[in-house]
Each structure stands twice: as C-alpha cells, then as structure tokens.
Amino acid sequence: MGFEAQTTKASGDGGIDIEAVLDRPIVGGRYLFQCKRFAEDNPVGSAAIREFYGALIADRKAAKGVFITTSTFTPQARDFAQGLSIELIDGDQLRRLLKEHNKTATDR
C-alpha cells in the first residue's frame, strides 16, 4: 500500500505494534497500527480503542491510527472511534485488503 513500516519492540511500545510512514501528499504522514488476533466470537471492545486512542494522542506526530483485528468490533467500540483519527479494520475487511493487495500468509 506504499507504507514504509517497522514493527515496534514487544515491551514498552505503548500498545503500538507497527509504526509506518506514507510519503504522499494530503493523505501521507505517520500512522500507528495496533493489531489484535482475536477469535471471531471475541469482538474488540471500546476499552481497547480508548487505550489505543490514548497512545495515538500521546504520540503527537501521528496523522492517523489504524486498529486491525481478525475478529470484529463491538458497537460501542465503533461509536467511540467515529469522528476520531482512528480507522477500524475487522477480519472481513482485512481479508479483502489482503486479497486486493495480493498478500496472503503463504506469501511471507
């Protein structure tokens, strides 16, 4: 997708899993990602999104945050993220993005 990305260290990362830079006018900048591998019947709740938002705000240099899960998000989590600089990507959207950008687990 054009990002220059690096994973963060496992500890002391403030909940951020990936830091990425997109070098493009208007939509570019520094992006922070959090990734959660949850079972399909275990949706991400608003508490996790609030914590991520706190890390995003504390960073001060990030243009946007992207929270990715293999599961789904609760309605409360989606409500909290609405209007903020956070994009929520659930398992279905993740699969579509991987297919669109021709990446699968076997491509690694």
Side-chain angles (χ1 to χ4, degrees), residues 32-79:
L32 302 179
F33 291 78
Q34 188 169 94
C35 307
K36 295 287 187 197
R37 186 177 188 179
F38 285 4
E40 287 185 34
D41 62 346
N42 185 20
V44 175
S46 60
I49 305 305
R50 282 190 180 89
E51 288 175 21
F52 179 59
Y53 183 61
L56 185 64
I57 295 301
D59 181 87
R60 295 185 143 178
K61 295 178 185 173
K64 185 176 185 177
V66 182
F67 198 113
I68 301 171
T69 183
T70 52
S71 180
T72 59
F73 296 94
T74 64
Q76 296 84 359
R78 290 190 183 279
D79 287 347

Coordinates of all heavy atoms in Angstrom, one line a residue, residues 32-79:
L32 N 0.1 5.0 13.1 CA 0.3 4.0 14.1 C -0.7 2.9 14.0 O -1.9 3.1 13.8 CB 0.2 4.6 15.5 CG 1.1 5.8 15.8 CD1 0.9 6.3 17.2 CD2 2.6 5.4 15.6
F33 N -0.3 1.6 14.1 CA -1.2 0.5 14.0 C -1.1 -0.4 15.3 O -0.1 -0.6 15.9 CB -0.7 -0.5 12.8 CG -0.8 0.1 11.5 CD1 0.1 1.1 11.0 CD2 -1.8 -0.3 10.6 CE1 0.0 1.6 9.7 CE2 -1.9 0.2 9.4 CZ -1.0 1.2 8.9
Q34 N -2.3 -0.9 15.6 CA -2.4 -1.9 16.7 C -3.1 -3.1 16.0 O -4.1 -2.9 15.3 CB -3.2 -1.4 17.9 CG -3.1 -2.4 19.0 CD -3.6 -1.9 20.3 OE1 -4.7 -2.0 20.7 NE2 -2.7 -1.2 21.1
C35 N -2.6 -4.3 16.3 CA -3.2 -5.5 15.7 C -3.5 -6.4 16.8 O -2.7 -6.7 17.7 CB -2.1 -6.1 14.8 SG -1.5 -5.0 13.5
K36 N -4.7 -6.9 16.7 CA -5.2 -7.9 17.7 C -5.7 -9.2 17.0 O -6.6 -9.1 16.2 CB -6.4 -7.3 18.6 CG -6.0 -6.2 19.4 CD -5.1 -6.6 20.6 CE -4.9 -5.5 21.6 NZ -3.8 -5.8 22.5
R37 N -5.2 -10.3 17.4 CA -5.6 -11.6 16.8 C -6.6 -12.2 17.8 O -6.2 -12.8 18.8 CB -4.4 -12.5 16.6 CG -4.8 -13.8 15.9 CD -3.5 -14.5 15.7 NE -3.8 -15.7 14.9 CZ -2.9 -16.5 14.5 NH1 -1.6 -16.4 14.9 NH2 -3.2 -17.6 13.8
F38 N -7.9 -12.0 17.6 CA -8.9 -12.5 18.4 C -9.8 -13.5 17.7 O -9.9 -13.5 16.5 CB -9.9 -11.3 18.9 CG -9.3 -10.4 19.9 CD1 -8.0 -10.5 20.4 CD2 -10.1 -9.4 20.4 CE1 -7.6 -9.6 21.4 CE2 -9.7 -8.5 21.4 CZ -8.4 -8.7 21.9
A39 N -10.4 -14.4 18.4 CA -11.3 -15.4 17.8 C -12.5 -14.6 17.3 O -12.9 -13.5 17.8 CB -11.8 -16.4 18.9
E40 N -13.2 -15.1 16.3 CA -14.3 -14.5 15.7 C -15.4 -14.1 16.6 O -16.1 -13.1 16.5 CB -14.9 -15.3 14.5 CG -14.0 -15.3 13.3 CD -14.6 -16.1 12.1 OE1 -15.8 -16.0 12.0 OE2 -13.8 -16.7 11.4
D41 N -15.6 -14.9 17.7 CA -16.7 -14.7 18.7 C -16.2 -13.8 19.8 O -16.9 -13.7 20.8 CB -17.2 -16.0 19.2 CG -16.2 -16.9 19.9 OD1 -15.0 -16.6 19.8 OD2 -16.6 -17.8 20.6
N42 N -15.0 -13.2 19.7 CA -14.5 -12.3 20.7 C -14.2 -10.9 20.2 O -13.1 -10.6 19.8 CB -13.2 -12.9 21.3 CG -12.7 -12.2 22.5 OD1 -13.4 -11.4 23.1 ND2 -11.4 -12.4 22.7
P43 N -15.2 -10.1 20.1 CA -15.0 -8.8 19.5 C -14.2 -7.8 20.3 O -14.1 -7.9 21.5 CB -16.5 -8.2 19.3 CG -17.3 -8.9 20.3 CD -16.6 -10.3 20.5
V44 N -13.5 -6.9 19.7 CA -12.8 -5.8 20.4 C -13.7 -4.8 20.9 O -14.6 -4.3 20.2 CB -11.8 -5.2 19.4 CG1 -11.0 -4.0 20.1 CG2 -10.8 -6.2 18.8
G45 N -13.6 -4.5 22.2 CA -14.5 -3.6 22.9 C -13.9 -2.1 22.9 O -12.8 -1.9 22.5
S46 N -14.7 -1.2 23.4 CA -14.4 0.2 23.4 C -13.2 0.5 24.3 O -12.4 1.4 24.1 CB -15.6 1.0 23.9 OG -16.0 0.7 25.2
A47 N -12.9 -0.3 25.4 CA -11.8 -0.1 26.3 C -10.5 -0.2 25.5 O -9.6 0.6 25.7 CB -11.8 -1.1 27.4
A48 N -10.4 -1.2 24.6 CA -9.1 -1.3 23.8 C -9.0 -0.1 22.8 O -7.8 0.3 22.6 CB -9.2 -2.6 23.0
I49 N -10.1 0.4 22.3 CA -10.0 1.5 21.4 C -9.6 2.8 22.1 O -8.8 3.6 21.7 CB -11.3 1.7 20.6 CG1 -11.7 0.4 19.9 CG2 -11.2 2.8 19.6 CD1 -10.7 -0.2 18.9
R50 N -10.2 2.9 23.3 CA -9.8 4.1 24.2 C -8.3 4.1 24.5 O -7.7 5.1 24.5 CB -10.6 4.1 25.5 CG -12.0 4.6 25.3 CD -12.7 4.7 26.7 NE -14.0 5.2 26.5 CZ -15.1 4.4 26.4 NH1 -15.0 3.1 26.4 NH2 -16.3 4.9 26.2
E51 N -7.8 2.9 24.9 CA -6.4 2.8 25.2 C -5.5 3.2 23.9 O -4.5 3.9 24.0 CB -6.0 1.4 25.7 CG -6.5 1.1 27.0 CD -6.3 -0.3 27.4 OE1 -5.4 -1.0 26.9 OE2 -7.0 -0.8 28.3
F52 N -5.9 2.7 22.8 CA -5.2 3.0 21.5 C -5.3 4.4 21.2 O -4.3 5.1 20.9 CB -5.8 2.1 20.4 CG -5.1 2.4 19.1 CD1 -3.8 2.2 18.9 CD2 -5.9 2.8 18.0 CE1 -3.2 2.4 17.7 CE2 -5.3 3.0 16.8 CZ -4.0 2.8 16.6
Y53 N -6.4 5.0 21.4 CA -6.6 6.5 21.2 C -5.6 7.3 22.2 O -5.0 8.3 21.7 CB -8.0 6.9 21.4 CG -8.3 8.4 21.2 CD1 -8.0 8.9 19.9 CD2 -8.7 9.2 22.1 CE1 -8.3 10.2 19.6 CE2 -9.0 10.5 21.9 CZ -8.7 11.1 20.6 OH -9.0 12.4 20.4
G54 N -5.5 6.8 23.4 CA -4.6 7.5 24.3 C -3.1 7.4 23.8 O -2.4 8.4 23.9
A55 N -2.7 6.3 23.3 CA -1.4 6.1 22.7 C -1.2 7.0 21.5 O -0.2 7.6 21.3 CB -1.1 4.7 22.4
L56 N -2.3 7.1 20.7 CA -2.2 7.9 19.5 C -2.1 9.4 19.8 O -1.3 10.1 19.2 CB -3.5 7.7 18.7 CG -3.7 8.3 17.3 CD1 -2.6 7.8 16.3 CD2 -5.1 8.1 16.8
I57 N -2.8 9.9 20.8 CA -2.8 11.3 21.2 C -1.4 11.6 21.8 O -0.8 12.6 21.6 CB -3.9 11.6 22.2 CG1 -5.3 11.5 21.5 CG2 -3.7 12.9 22.9 CD1 -5.4 12.4 20.3
A58 N -0.9 10.6 22.6 CA 0.4 10.8 23.3 C 1.5 10.9 22.3 O 2.5 11.6 22.5 CB 0.7 9.7 24.3
D59 N 1.4 10.3 21.1 CA 2.4 10.3 20.1 C 2.7 11.7 19.6 O 3.8 12.1 19.3 CB 2.1 9.3 19.0 CG 3.2 9.3 18.0 OD1 4.1 8.5 18.1 OD2 3.1 10.0 17.0
R60 N 1.6 12.4 19.3 CA 1.6 13.8 18.8 C 2.1 14.0 17.4 O 2.0 15.0 16.8 CB 2.4 14.7 19.8 CG 1.8 14.8 21.1 CD 2.6 15.8 21.9 NE 1.7 16.6 22.7 CZ 2.0 17.5 23.5 NH1 3.3 17.8 23.7 NH2 1.1 18.1 24.2
K61 N 2.8 13.0 16.8 CA 3.3 13.1 15.5 C 2.5 12.3 14.5 O 2.7 12.3 13.3 CB 4.7 12.7 15.4 CG 5.7 13.6 16.2 CD 7.1 13.1 16.1 CE 8.0 13.9 17.0 NZ 9.3 13.4 17.1
A62 N 1.6 11.5 15.0 CA 0.8 10.6 14.1 C -0.3 11.3 13.4 O -1.1 12.1 14.0 CB 0.3 9.4 14.9
A63 N -0.5 11.0 12.1 CA -1.6 11.6 11.4 C -2.9 10.7 11.6 O -4.0 11.3 11.6 CB -1.3 11.6 9.9
K64 N -2.7 9.4 11.9 CA -3.9 8.6 12.0 C -3.5 7.3 12.7 O -2.3 6.9 12.6 CB -4.4 8.2 10.6 CG -5.6 7.4 10.5 CD -6.1 7.3 9.1 CE -7.4 6.6 9.0 NZ -7.9 6.5 7.6
G65 N -4.5 6.6 13.3 CA -4.3 5.3 13.9 C -5.1 4.3 13.2 O -6.2 4.6 12.8
V66 N -4.6 3.1 13.1 CA -5.4 2.0 12.4 C -5.4 0.8 13.4 O -4.3 0.4 13.8 CB -4.7 1.6 11.1 CG1 -5.5 0.5 10.4 CG2 -4.6 2.8 10.2
F67 N -6.5 0.4 13.8 CA -6.7 -0.7 14.7 C -7.2 -1.9 13.9 O -8.3 -1.8 13.3 CB -7.7 -0.4 15.8 CG -7.6 -1.3 17.0 CD1 -7.1 -0.8 18.2 CD2 -8.0 -2.6 16.9 CE1 -7.0 -1.6 19.3 CE2 -7.9 -3.4 18.0 CZ -7.4 -2.9 19.2
I68 N -6.4 -3.0 13.8 CA -6.8 -4.1 13.0 C -7.0 -5.3 13.9 O -6.3 -5.6 14.8 CB -5.6 -4.5 12.0 CG1 -5.3 -3.3 11.1 CG2 -6.0 -5.7 11.2 CD1 -4.1 -3.5 10.3
T69 N -8.1 -6.1 13.6 CA -8.4 -7.3 14.3 C -8.8 -8.4 13.4 O -9.4 -8.1 12.3 CB -9.5 -7.1 15.4 OG1 -9.6 -8.3 16.1 CG2 -10.8 -6.7 14.8
T70 N -8.6 -9.6 13.8 CA -9.1 -10.8 13.0 C -10.5 -11.0 13.3 O -11.2 -11.8 12.7 CB -8.2 -12.0 13.3 OG1 -8.2 -12.2 14.7 CG2 -6.8 -11.9 12.8
S71 N -11.0 -10.4 14.4 CA -12.4 -10.5 14.8 C -13.3 -9.4 14.3 O -13.2 -9.0 13.1 CB -12.4 -10.5 16.4 OG -13.7 -10.7 16.9
T72 N -14.1 -8.8 15.2 CA -15.0 -7.7 14.9 C -14.8 -6.7 16.0 O -14.0 -6.9 16.9 CB -16.4 -8.2 14.8 OG1 -16.8 -8.7 16.1 CG2 -16.7 -9.2 13.7
F73 N -15.6 -5.6 15.9 CA -15.6 -4.6 16.9 C -17.0 -4.5 17.5 O -18.0 -4.6 16.8 CB -15.2 -3.2 16.3 CG -13.8 -3.2 15.8 CD1 -13.5 -3.4 14.5 CD2 -12.8 -2.9 16.7 CE1 -12.2 -3.4 14.0 CE2 -11.5 -2.9 16.2 CZ -11.2 -3.2 14.9
T74 N -17.1 -4.2 18.8 CA -18.5 -4.0 19.4 C -19.0 -2.7 18.8 O -18.3 -1.8 18.4 CB -18.4 -4.0 20.9 OG1 -17.6 -2.8 21.3 CG2 -17.8 -5.2 21.5
P75 N -20.4 -2.5 18.9 CA -20.9 -1.3 18.5 C -20.4 -0.1 19.3 O -20.2 1.0 18.8 CB -22.4 -1.4 18.8 CG -22.7 -2.9 18.7 CD -21.4 -3.5 19.2
Q76 N -20.1 -0.3 20.6 CA -19.5 0.7 21.5 C -18.1 1.1 21.0 O -17.8 2.3 21.0 CB -19.5 0.2 22.9 CG -20.8 0.0 23.5 CD -21.4 -1.4 23.2 OE1 -20.8 -2.2 22.5 NE2 -22.6 -1.7 23.8
A77 N -17.3 0.2 20.5 CA -16.0 0.5 20.0 C -16.1 1.3 18.7 O -15.4 2.3 18.6 CB -15.2 -0.8 19.7
R78 N -17.0 0.9 17.9 CA -17.2 1.7 16.6 C -17.7 3.1 16.9 O -17.3 4.1 16.3 CB -18.2 1.0 15.7 CG -17.6 -0.3 15.1 CD -18.4 -0.9 14.0 NE -17.9 -2.1 13.5 CZ -16.9 -2.2 12.6 NH1 -16.3 -1.2 12.2 NH2 -16.5 -3.4 12.2
D79 N -18.6 3.2 17.9 CA -19.2 4.5 18.3 C -18.0 5.4 18.8 O -17.9 6.6 18.5 CB -20.3 4.4 19.3 CG -21.6 3.9 18.8 OD1 -21.7 3.8 17.5 OD2 -22.4 3.5 19.6

